Amino acid sequence: MLNRVRSAVAHLVSSGGAPPPRPKSPDLPNAPSPQTVAPPEAPRSPPATAGSGSAAPAKTVEARASFSRPTFLQLSPGGLRRADDHAGRAVQSPPDTGRRLPWSTGYAEVINAGKSRHNEDQACCEVVYVEGRRSVSGAPREPSQGQGLCFYYWGLFDGHAGGGAAEMAARLLHRHIREQLKDLSCWSSQKEVSHESLVVGAIENAFQFMDEQMARERRGHQVEGGCCALVVVYLLGKVYVANAGDSRAIIVRNGEIIPMSREFTPETERQRLQLLGFLKPELLGGEFTHLEFPRRIQPKELGQRMLYRDQNMTGWAYKKIELEDLRFPLVCGEGKKARVMATIGVTRGLGDHNLKVCSSTLPIKPFLSCFPEVRVYDLTQYEHCPDDVLVLGTDGLWDVTSDCEVAATVDRVLSAYEPNDPSRYTALAQALVLGARGTSRDRGWRLPNNKLGSGDDISVFVIPLGGPGSYS
Amino acid sequence: MLNRVRSAVAHLVSSGGAPPPRPKSPDLPNAPSPQTVAPPEAPRSPPATAGSGSAAPAKTVEARASFSRPTFLQLSPGGLRRADDHAGRAVQSPPDTGRRLPWSTGYAEVINAGKSRHNEDQACCEVVYVEGRRSVSGAPREPSQGQGLCFYYWGLFDGHAGGGAAEMAARLLHRHIREQLKDLSCWSSQKEVSHESLVVGAIENAFQFMDEQMARERRGHQVEGGCCALVVVYLLGKVYVANAGDSRAIIVRNGEIIPMSREFTPETERQRLQLLGFLKPELLGGEFTHLEFPRRIQPKELGQRMLYRDQNMTGWAYKKIELEDLRFPLVCGEGKKARVMATIGVTRGLGDHNLKVCSSTLPIKPFLSCFPEVRVYDLTQYEHCPDDVLVLGTDGLWDVTSDCEVAATVDRVLSAYEPNDPSRYTALAQALVLGARGTSRDRGWRLPNNKLGSGDDISVFVIPLGGPGSYS
């Protein structure tokens, strides 16, 4: 998330570039906050096991405190160093050998061009087993999973102001979802509420509990910063895409693009933010105005007429400038430069409990929402072919790549592979990441059209929709 | 708006069924509230003049205080009596003779089946001339209109708890829009803001000023009740559709349906209402909870687990029932029975400043928004044929007629007339109203499929998109 948090940069500078120590693990959802900080755990072996957490390999205390990459990348210490190299920006994917990701999911990532010390994106891909609180009557179970229910899970977490929040979310959010889904056991007695809306509610609440856990544990473990979260849950024939932040998910199906998320930024959430500032003016601390103006107003313009927008308006109208209008606007800037309180460029996500306005004690968290928007896609309503995919990407991808360009790459790359070649989805993820990064030239990273490539961390999942049966 | 306001019914019963006296006219937008009530005006002659207000004919003081119908219907006293007859429910349209409505617009209406004493829908159709505050540089003018700007205007107003608010809005809202559009004169100096977003802002602010005027003048004139407002403005090649309430607008173009509005009800606005109740709990008066539950909770269920939704959720999750959860939910009921505070079934509109919760002094107005959602349709982007129309209807139409059924009626009726026959749009409006009303049988008004017809007031505009040039 390039240049998204001004105060984050200030923090990194003041702390010498080292992100805060990684929080203790494993934390169980809803567990009370530990009172003491445990000593670092012994190193764990890299290969992931389905159903386990996705904590990163940590060969030494120092390396562990520095950074980590998703477990499923199975990086050696040398590989970890290459993944952390801003000059080479080598694209990372799970190895061809060894266990594939569920559904033959493709994944690729690349570190940023130097905007932060480490790659602050994180990822998780798991099969999660849910043991019901009681038996789930009426809800069919995955045949191989015995008495419980299991769901497939993919998560992308784009950190800012440090990697702590993204790492914690990658390690724990699916466990919160698992906890919430245990409640589905009560479902059959509430006929007026659909099974689908219970899953949506479970995911929504899991995001909230994850955020609350970060708030509790930041004191003990210094979970600095925050992260966007884009999560996919597959359960009982339906794909749930939950997004809080500015990552994006699209389905490419028979060449057609189906948006599965929208971005939450100061521009798209202006009216929500302004309404909060209007109803709770104390949150503006006398420093900001909830009104938006096309440009900053000068004191000499007092009493003149100026265009404005408030929480109720999508258009612009005129008002006479008053003293309060000279305050800095709560929402200002356009596109990637849009900011809340001149500080943060994304309005939903996890963490950021310590985030303050620059040179101020005014907290920004009250304006941020940890709640995702959840969209549901019924996999059973359409017969999917091997070229139909769900693409998840952090903003590093989407800043320089349009939906149509992604769809074109899907077509180009997948048609070069046999339909039953499971490596084609990893090749596609790599092509998307490479296409957004570009190549290193005299004047930075450049795309073939000579425009600037993305200097941000870039992470991409490609999930084939051909069927859950492809899990090997 | 059938059964939409419980307290309204209570009011009608307690006042013997007579709606409050009609407010004084003509009120100029932004004019200070008059301190005294003027005596009733002398009767005015019915025929409308383009550019004038659309106040209803009022032959006697008594008739005027009772009810009025749109001026452009040119109703004689006998016609007015027939329009007010709940038993016959004769469909009313402008006469074939005389001046046509702008663009050969079709219009038809019918009174309700007895749910209120008079037809509480109102309508307005005008060509409005705007004299700029200064010259509008860069904005082309309608050639025939001299130095100013003119816009075409259509408004449907669905009143509840009396006809006063709908009548006042039909008479004055377009004047507020005219006042706001005078500000477009400053436009050329603000290049970063589009002309379109200035028109949208002007319409939004006009709704707000209209609502404020109702608040001011209710003391002098007893503007009881409120109204939904659905308004269309055509200006400089673009159609602006502004909706606050549960009326609906669709474009039928070459058989395709393009929605031009959405409905604002306790169901569609649940999260906005809950957020307000959460941030301003004093508005709930200790009587209501902002949480939603699938059913009313019994005191004996305290401590048990129950499904709920709050302002952040679209899905459902479980919580332990606490004492506060026993309060009545802010939003409850489904479909046409959904209510805010057990009272009103529509969440946006004008008026309702005196509306209170049944048997309580708790005001409901803070939860209602007077702001419309404005959608813009660029007439110049498509070559429209004479069969392409914009259909506006109050909920009396849409309660029993789907978008597809309206599109089918458009096709059926228009194909029975010559393309250049200007009476075809009135015939279409009449067919739509008749199709929603049905025919009177032993057991009420019935549709051909024997389902109940709409017992509500029904009003329909059919606006041909073939071109502004068709104004005769």
Side-chain angles (χ1 to χ4, degrees):
Chain A
M1 184 172 298
L2 188 58
N3 285 331
R4 281 262 142 159
V5 188
R6 287 199 343 197
S7 68
V9 177
H11 170 266
L12 281 171
V13 170
S14 68
S15 65
R22 188 168 163 281
K24 175 173 162 282
S25 75
D27 311 75
L28 284 173
N30 295 323
S33 175
Q35 296 307 305
T36 55
V37 181
E41 290 166 28
R44 284 201 272 159
S45 59
T49 309
S52 77
S54 62
K59 286 299 175 193
T60 67
V61 173
E62 201 229 319
R64 185 160 168 208
S66 302
F67 70 102
S68 70
R69 300 312 312 145
T71 325
F72 59 70
L73 286 178
Q74 303 176 35
L75 291 175
S76 65
L80 205 54
R81 275 193 301 276
R82 279 191 296 279
D84 200 37
D85 172 24
H86 298 278
R89 299 187 79 192
V91 175
Q92 308 295 321
S93 280
D96 278 344
T97 55
R99 190 162 193 154
R100 288 195 186 285
L101 291 178
W103 295 21
S104 299
T105 295
Y107 175 82
E109 64 165 51
V110 72
I111 195 172
N112 63 78
K115 68 130 191 168
S116 65
R117 175 70 191 86
H118 300 295
N119 186 339
E120 293 181 349
D121 284 1
Q122 290 292 345
C124 178
C125 180
E126 298 283 343
V127 185
V128 184
Y129 177 72
V130 186
E131 192 177 0
R133 296 199 209 278
R134 287 187 288 126
S135 77
V136 184
S137 43
R141 297 188 184 87
E142 302 292 320
S144 62
Q145 295 297 328
Q147 287 310 301
L149 201 66
C150 89
F151 65 89
Y152 294 87
Y153 172 87
W154 299 259
L156 277 189
F157 306 93
D158 181 349
H160 51 254
E167 248 190 84
M168 190 173 180
R171 196 158 39 86
L172 294 174
L173 180 55
H174 55 293
R175 299 189 189 187
H176 281 286
I177 294 174
R178 183 184 60 191
E179 280 302 303
Q180 292 299 309
L181 286 177
K182 287 181 182 173
D183 282 336
L184 261 69
S185 54
C186 311
W187 170 52
S188 59
S189 60
Q190 301 284 348
K191 282 177 191 165
E192 61 269 54
V193 173
S194 71
H195 184 264
E196 179 180 308
S197 68
L198 287 176
V199 178
V200 171
I203 295 171
E204 289 170 332
N205 264 9
F207 271 68
Q208 185 177 26
F209 286 137
M210 181 75 250
D211 194 56
E212 288 172 359
Q213 189 182 9
M214 286 183 182
R216 285 194 308 271
E217 303 196 0
R218 74 188 152 140
R219 295 180 193 102
H221 304 287
Q222 293 174 279
V223 183
E224 294 286 346
C227 68
C228 299
L230 172 59
V231 154
V232 174
V233 168
Y234 170 80
L235 180 64
L236 301 171
K238 287 180 179 169
V239 174
Y240 299 82
V241 180
N243 187 46
D246 63 357
S247 297
R248 187 187 299 171
I250 65 170
I251 284 174
V252 181
R253 189 182 76 182
N254 197 21
E256 182 197 2
I257 294 160
I258 305 171
M260 288 303 296
S261 68
R262 65 186 172 104
E263 287 88 73
F264 297 97
T265 69
E267 283 184 304
T268 64
E269 293 221 278
R270 172 183 60 82
Q271 288 180 280
R272 178 180 73 77
L273 302 167
Q274 288 182 318
L275 177 65
L276 188 57
F278 172 76
L279 292 175
K280 296 272 189 187
E282 64 273 21
L283 298 177
L284 301 172
E287 298 180 40
F288 292 89
T289 166
H290 75 287
L291 298 181
E292 186 188 13
F293 302 98
R295 58 171 175 79
R296 192 70 196 273
I297 300 171
Q298 305 300 317
K300 66 180 179 188
E301 296 178 294
L302 257 178
Q304 294 180 19
R305 282 157 57 82
M306 172 62 82
L307 286 171
Y308 80 101
R309 289 200 289 194
D310 69 16
Q311 66 279 359
N312 295 307
M313 300 165 70
T314 57
W316 296 85
Y318 285 91
K319 76 179 299 268
K320 204 166 109 178
I321 299 172
E322 296 164 87
L323 206 55
E324 286 192 2
D325 301 331
L326 299 179
R327 295 176 183 167
F328 201 87
L330 172 62
V331 172
C332 69
E334 284 177 29
K336 294 300 278 187
K337 290 181 181 165
R339 291 286 179 281
V340 181
M341 295 175 140
T343 304
I344 186 166
V346 67
T347 51
R348 297 210 190 185
L350 305 166
D352 286 317
H353 297 278
N354 292 331
L355 190 61
K356 304 279 191 299
V357 173
C358 270
S359 317
S360 163
T361 58
L362 202 60
I364 293 172
K365 182 67 176 175
F367 290 95
L368 308 179
S369 169
C370 67
F371 280 87
E373 183 186 78
V374 185
R375 299 194 183 182
V376 187
Y377 180 81
D378 190 339
L379 264 193
T380 66
Q381 293 297 301
Y382 188 90
E383 194 161 333
H384 295 87
C385 75
D387 288 4
D388 296 334
V389 291
L390 171 58
V391 178
L392 315 182
T394 52
D395 65 338
L397 172 69
W398 303 105
D399 284 348
V400 297
T401 322
S402 70
D403 292 2
C404 287
E405 287 166 337
V406 167
T409 305
V410 168
D411 181 52
R412 178 172 56 79
V413 174
L414 293 188
S415 63
Y417 286 76
E418 290 295 323
N420 60 357
D421 181 347
S423 69
R424 65 206 302 256
Y425 306 109
T426 297
L428 173 53
Q430 290 170 337
L432 289 169
V433 168
L434 272 171
R437 183 202 69 177
T439 51
S440 181
R441 299 200 211 153
D442 288 347
R443 297 171 55 215
W445 293 88
R446 295 279 169 178
L447 304 181
N449 60 10
N450 210 36
K451 285 187 180 166
L452 273 178
S454 171
D456 202 355
D457 302 316
I458 312 168
S459 307
V460 171
F461 270 127
V462 175
I463 306 172
L465 299 178
S470 62
Y471 177 44
S472 57
Chain B
M1 185 172 298
L2 187 58
N3 285 329
R4 280 261 144 157
V5 188
R6 285 197 349 196
S7 68
V9 177
H11 169 266
L12 282 171
V13 170
S14 67
S15 65
R22 190 169 161 279
K24 173 175 163 280
S25 76
D27 312 72
L28 283 174
N30 295 325
S33 175
Q35 296 307 305
T36 56
V37 181
E41 290 166 28
R44 284 200 273 157
S45 59
T49 309
S52 75
S54 63
K59 286 299 175 193
T60 66
V61 173
E62 202 230 320
R64 183 156 170 213
S66 301
F67 70 101
S68 70
R69 299 312 310 147
T71 326
F72 59 69
L73 286 178
Q74 303 176 33
L75 292 175
S76 64
L80 204 54
R81 274 194 301 276
R82 279 190 297 279
D84 199 38
D85 171 24
H86 298 277
R89 297 188 81 192
V91 175
Q92 307 294 322
S93 282
D96 278 343
T97 55
R99 189 163 193 154
R100 286 198 187 283
L101 291 178
W103 294 21
S104 299
T105 296
Y107 175 83
E109 64 165 52
V110 72
I111 195 171
N112 63 80
K115 67 132 189 164
S116 65
R117 175 70 191 87
H118 298 295
N119 187 338
E120 293 181 349
D121 285 0
Q122 290 292 345
C124 178
C125 180
E126 297 284 343
V127 185
V128 185
Y129 176 71
V130 185
E131 192 177 1
R133 295 198 208 279
R134 287 186 289 128
S135 78
V136 183
S137 43
R141 297 190 183 87
E142 301 292 321
S144 62
Q145 294 298 326
Q147 289 308 302
L149 202 67
C150 89
F151 66 88
Y152 294 85
Y153 173 87
W154 299 259
L156 277 187
F157 305 93
D158 181 352
H160 50 254
E167 247 190 86
M168 190 174 180
R171 196 158 38 86
L172 293 174
L173 181 55
H174 55 293
R175 300 189 187 186
H176 280 285
I177 294 175
R178 183 184 62 192
E179 280 302 303
Q180 291 299 311
L181 285 176
K182 287 182 182 172
D183 282 337
L184 260 68
S185 54
C186 311
W187 169 51
S188 58
S189 60
Q190 301 283 350
K191 282 178 190 165
E192 61 269 54
V193 172
S194 71
H195 183 264
E196 178 180 309
S197 69
L198 287 177
V199 178
V200 171
I203 295 171
E204 288 171 331
N205 265 10
F207 271 68
Q208 185 177 23
F209 287 137
M210 183 74 250
D211 194 55
E212 288 172 0
Q213 188 182 9
M214 286 183 182
R216 285 194 310 271
E217 303 196 0
R218 74 187 151 141
R219 295 181 193 100
H221 304 287
Q222 293 174 278
V223 183
E224 293 286 346
C227 68
C228 299
L230 172 59
V231 154
V232 173
V233 169
Y234 169 81
L235 180 64
L236 300 170
K238 287 179 178 168
V239 174
Y240 300 82
V241 181
N243 187 44
D246 64 357
S247 297
R248 187 187 299 172
I250 66 171
I251 284 175
V252 181
R253 188 182 78 182
N254 196 20
E256 183 197 0
I257 293 160
I258 304 171
M260 288 304 296
S261 68
R262 64 186 172 104
E263 287 88 75
F264 297 97
T265 68
E267 284 184 305
T268 65
E269 294 221 279
R270 173 183 58 84
Q271 288 181 280
R272 176 179 76 75
L273 302 167
Q274 289 183 318
L275 177 65
L276 188 57
F278 173 74
L279 292 175
K280 296 272 187 189
E282 65 272 23
L283 297 178
L284 301 172
E287 296 180 40
F288 293 89
T289 167
H290 74 287
L291 298 181
E292 185 187 14
F293 302 97
R295 58 172 174 79
R296 191 70 196 274
I297 299 172
Q298 304 301 317
K300 65 179 179 188
E301 295 178 294
L302 255 178
Q304 294 181 18
R305 283 156 57 81
M306 173 61 82
L307 286 171
Y308 81 103
R309 289 199 289 193
D310 69 17
Q311 66 280 359
N312 296 304
M313 301 165 70
T314 57
W316 296 85
Y318 285 91
K319 75 177 300 265
K320 206 167 108 177
I321 298 172
E322 295 164 88
L323 206 55
E324 286 192 1
D325 302 330
L326 299 179
R327 294 174 184 167
F328 203 86
L330 172 62
V331 173
C332 69
E334 283 176 33
K336 294 299 278 186
K337 290 182 182 166
R339 291 287 181 279
V340 182
M341 295 175 137
T343 304
I344 186 167
V346 67
T347 52
R348 298 210 190 185
L350 303 166
D352 286 318
H353 297 277
N354 292 331
L355 190 61
K356 303 281 192 296
V357 172
C358 269
S359 318
S360 163
T361 58
L362 202 59
I364 292 172
K365 182 69 176 172
F367 290 94
L368 308 179
S369 170
C370 66
F371 280 87
E373 183 186 78
V374 185
R375 299 194 183 181
V376 187
Y377 180 81
D378 190 339
L379 263 193
T380 67
Q381 293 298 301
Y382 188 92
E383 193 161 333
H384 295 88
C385 75
D387 288 5
D388 297 333
V389 291
L390 170 57
V391 178
L392 315 182
T394 51
D395 67 337
L397 172 69
W398 304 105
D399 285 348
V400 297
T401 323
S402 70
D403 292 2
C404 287
E405 287 166 337
V406 167
T409 305
V410 169
D411 180 52
R412 178 173 56 80
V413 174
L414 293 188
S415 63
Y417 286 77
E418 291 295 323
N420 59 355
D421 181 346
S423 69
R424 63 206 302 257
Y425 305 110
T426 296
L428 173 52
Q430 291 169 337
L432 289 169
V433 168
L434 272 172
R437 183 202 69 177
T439 50
S440 182
R441 300 202 209 151
D442 288 347
R443 297 171 54 216
W445 293 88
R446 294 279 169 177
L447 306 181
N449 60 11
N450 210 35
K451 284 187 180 167
L452 272 178
S454 172
D456 201 354
D457 302 316
I458 312 168
S459 306
V460 171
F461 270 128
V462 175
I463 306 172
L465 300 178
S470 62
Y471 177 44
S472 57

